Amino acid sequence: MKGRAITYSDSELAWIKANAQMPRAEALSLFSALFHRTGITVTNFNALCKRKGWLTGRNGRFSAGQIPLNKGKKMPFNPNSARTQFKTGQMPHNTKFAGHERVSKDGYIEISIEDTNPHTGFSRRYVLKQRYLWEQANGSLPEGMVLKCLDGEKTNTDPSNWEAIPRAMLPRLNGIHGRGYDKAPAQIKPTILAITKLEHKARSARKGEQP
């Protein structure tokens, strides 16, 4: 049959259409016995039904109110399966407990803390470590302020290495027309930061804003 088209008589096609909702293998077995056909596989039979649009009506989903066959039944004990099953209170080996650290795609260190994640409701969440430590030492970061890394080393999370500055200063420090603070030599970073602060205060004063 390989490479050759399979032909069916009108009566065969009528029978297949009338019994299209039967399981394919069962329908093919009855069809082959009734019409004395050989060499037709389940794949051939299924392809014919699909071409004709004769579907079984089954989509593999549970219908509303349908009860699973294994409802209320316990899984038979199997020592090999039982060996890998979680026990009550057991945690996965890769569970990240409070204090676990990771590096973000932007190069900042994140730390897991005991605080409810507002997005998932989980009891722990990751926060920027430099901000977490800075707020432990200085209180909550004021609105409109951001933490600026003083030495350019993002993984140095010591609070003394981070200073709260107005967010509006960031473009002046490292923006397209900024002074390249992060890549500047360590000895001139303080000067760049001081000049940028003065410019920000002057600009805010001209606009009547709080610096």
Side-chain angles (χ1 to χ4, degrees):
M1 287 292 183
K2 188 175 181 179
R4 296 174 55 189
I6 302 175
T7 59
Y8 301 87
S9 66
D10 292 341
S11 58
E12 289 175 335
L13 291 174
W15 188 93
I16 295 173
K17 180 179 180 180
N19 295 277
Q21 293 191 348
M22 291 179 61
R24 297 297 190 216
E26 182 180 342
L28 175 59
S29 178
L30 291 175
F31 170 81
S32 299
L34 181 62
F35 293 97
H36 307 290
R37 295 294 299 266
T38 60
I40 299 176
T41 66
V42 174
T43 300
N44 300 143
F45 196 81
N46 192 42
L48 169 67
C49 292
K50 285 186 176 181
R51 287 199 304 273
K52 297 290 187 179
W54 301 335
L55 305 181
T56 63
R58 296 182 295 276
N59 56 17
R61 302 176 183 175
F62 278 93
S63 57
Q66 184 176 352
I67 300 176
L69 295 176
N70 61 348
K71 181 178 181 179
K73 297 181 180 179
K74 290 186 177 181
M75 179 179 174
F77 178 79
N78 181 293
N80 293 327
S81 175
R83 188 167 56 250
T84 60
Q85 292 175 4
F86 275 90
K87 309 301 186 294
T88 302
Q90 183 179 352
M91 300 291 288
H93 72 280
N94 59 347
T95 298
K96 304 298 188 294
F97 294 97
H100 176 264
E101 296 181 3
R102 67 187 185 189
V103 179
S104 73
K105 63 180 181 180
D106 296 318
Y108 294 98
I109 295 180
E110 297 177 329
I111 185 172
S112 176
I113 64 171
E114 295 282 2
D115 188 39
T116 301
N117 188 315
H119 305 291
T120 65
F122 191 57
S123 60
R124 292 186 298 278
R125 67 187 182 99
Y126 280 93
V127 297
L128 291 172
K129 185 177 180 180
Q130 74 270 11
R131 176 164 180 167
Y132 175 74
L133 295 179
W134 189 92
E135 290 187 333
Q136 293 294 307
N138 302 284
S140 298
L141 186 66
E143 185 177 354
M145 305 290 280
V146 295
L147 292 180
K148 181 60 187 171
C149 180
L150 299 179
D151 66 1
E153 179 54 58
K154 296 177 180 178
T155 57
N156 180 1
T157 59
D158 189 286
S160 64
N161 186 47
W162 298 81
E163 182 175 338
I165 65 172
R167 185 179 298 276
M169 282 179 54
L170 293 179
R172 294 176 177 272
L173 289 172
N174 287 301
I176 297 177
H177 303 295
R179 293 187 168 87
Y181 177 90
D182 288 344
K183 295 182 179 180
Q187 61 270 26
I188 69 171
K189 283 182 185 292
T191 302
I192 293 176
L193 185 58
I195 293 173
T196 305
K197 286 180 179 179
L198 288 174
E199 288 182 344
H200 176 73
K201 287 183 179 180
R203 183 171 182 272
S204 298
R206 288 196 301 270
K207 296 177 65 175
E209 299 175 350
Q210 183 68 29

